[in-house]
Amino acid sequence: MSRKLLEINGLKVNVADKQILHGVDLAVGSGETHVLMGPNGAGKSTLGYAVMGDPRYTVTEGTVVFDGRDITAENADVRAKAGIFLSFQNPIEVPGISLSNFIRSALEQRTGKRVKLWEFRKELKAAMEILEMDPAYADRDLNVGFSGGEKKKAEILQLLMLKPSLAILDETDSGLDVDAVRTVSVGIKEYQKNKNASLLIITHSTRILEALHVDATHVLADGQMIASGDASLVEEINNHGFEQFLAR
């Protein structure tokens, strides 16, 4: 059994005085890939943002423990430096800073070390080739004028460059065509090659999971975890939907 990297215990979360999560428990081991599914409005994204420490999401009860350290009260930047990465469902545009400079700055913040430019450029080029990204995007302002697919590729590029211990991917396949989903999946598989790299994939569909190894699947509904199982649970959801769990 792998070492627990993320432990969520009895987590209750409010957004603007409304409780969204009602005592969620979840444990993700080092090197494991977990999938979180559920109907719209279930609280899936809320869980991701709460783990990342977004100040809009207030933890009223429970704990978030990462790599043996209670980070429930820590700011998002502390969590990022500790090795947690969150991809956004709708990546924002950041004028005035290039994709390359953004990643290099984040990498230096993550490691606490200066990054040699030529080594960085070499690694960035290799990662962009994996994602079939035009190298010209490296010098463009972050996400400005990017298509939806290119924005998602830019998120996975950050994942490959930053090499976090835990990556939370929030609806990464949302709005992508078949070819873009395939390319993004290739990037995620590349990340999975690190045997200690953990993933929490939040998704409505299962397209992005088809080429990935999955260790565990969870179903969240109305802010509560209502089912957990292995990878076979994904196929069960494909065949019968979420209603079977809601009726229990």
Side-chain angles (χ1 to χ4, degrees):
M1 185 175 180
S2 62
R3 173 181 62 86
K4 288 183 181 179
L5 181 67
L6 175 69
E7 297 177 75
I8 299 171
N9 302 298
L11 198 68
K12 295 183 180 181
V13 175
N14 282 17
V15 178
D17 296 328
K18 180 180 179 181
Q19 190 175 78
I20 306 297
L21 298 183
H22 309 285
V24 171
D25 296 317
L26 177 66
V28 178
S30 177
E32 293 181 350
T33 295
H34 288 232
V35 175
L36 181 63
M37 304 185 73
N40 288 331
K44 302 185 299 296
S45 294
T46 295
L47 181 61
Y49 283 116
V51 171
M52 194 67 237
D54 189 313
R56 296 173 298 173
Y57 298 80
T58 304
V59 174
T60 60
E61 193 172 316
T63 58
V64 178
V65 177
F66 181 70
D67 202 13
R69 172 185 173 188
D70 189 336
I71 60 168
T72 311
E74 298 286 8
N75 293 331
D77 63 328
V78 173
R79 303 184 195 211
K81 289 176 183 177
I84 302 177
F85 173 91
L86 172 66
S87 74
F88 296 100
Q89 188 170 340
N90 298 298
I92 61 172
E93 297 183 359
V94 184
I97 181 170
S98 69
L99 173 60
S100 173
N101 285 341
F102 177 82
I103 294 175
R104 188 181 178 201
S105 176
L107 190 57
E108 290 180 341
Q109 289 291 321
R110 165 94 167 89
T111 62
K113 301 176 182 178
R114 290 287 296 170
V115 175
K116 293 182 179 178
L117 182 58
W118 69 271
E119 290 180 352
F120 172 78
R121 281 286 185 178
K122 180 180 178 182
E123 189 173 349
L124 183 68
K125 181 176 182 291
M128 293 185 82
E129 287 175 353
I130 290 171
L131 296 171
E132 299 177 3
M133 288 186 73
D134 183 339
Y137 276 86
D139 297 316
R140 290 179 56 176
D141 285 0
L142 179 61
N143 292 329
V144 176
F146 287 23
S147 68
E150 294 299 340
K151 286 182 179 180
K152 296 301 178 73
K153 286 183 182 180
E155 293 268 276
I156 301 304
L157 179 65
Q158 294 169 45
L159 171 67
L160 294 180
M161 293 297 293
L162 295 175
K163 301 178 179 65
S165 302
L166 171 67
I168 304 170
L169 307 183
D170 185 14
E171 304 286 356
T172 299
D173 53 346
S174 176
L176 300 185
D177 60 27
V178 173
D179 289 336
V181 169
R182 178 189 59 79
T183 302
V184 166
S185 293
V186 168
I188 297 172
K189 285 182 70 176
E190 184 69 21
Y191 170 76
Q192 285 185 314
K193 288 181 180 180
N194 179 349
K195 299 303 181 182
N196 294 318
S198 301
L199 274 166
L200 177 60
I201 301 175
I202 300 170
T203 184
H204 280 110
S205 72
T206 58
R207 291 186 306 163
I208 200 169
L209 305 176
E210 292 174 0
L212 301 177
H213 170 76
V214 173
D215 295 290
T217 308
H218 312 278
V219 179
L220 190 71
D222 295 324
Q224 295 179 307
M225 206 72 79
I226 60 172
S228 291
D230 57 20
S232 65
L233 191 56
V234 172
E235 188 62 29
E236 191 176 338
I237 292 169
N238 271 338
N239 293 333
H240 305 291
F242 300 115
E243 291 300 323
Q244 58 180 317
F245 306 108
L246 298 174
R248 293 177 183 175

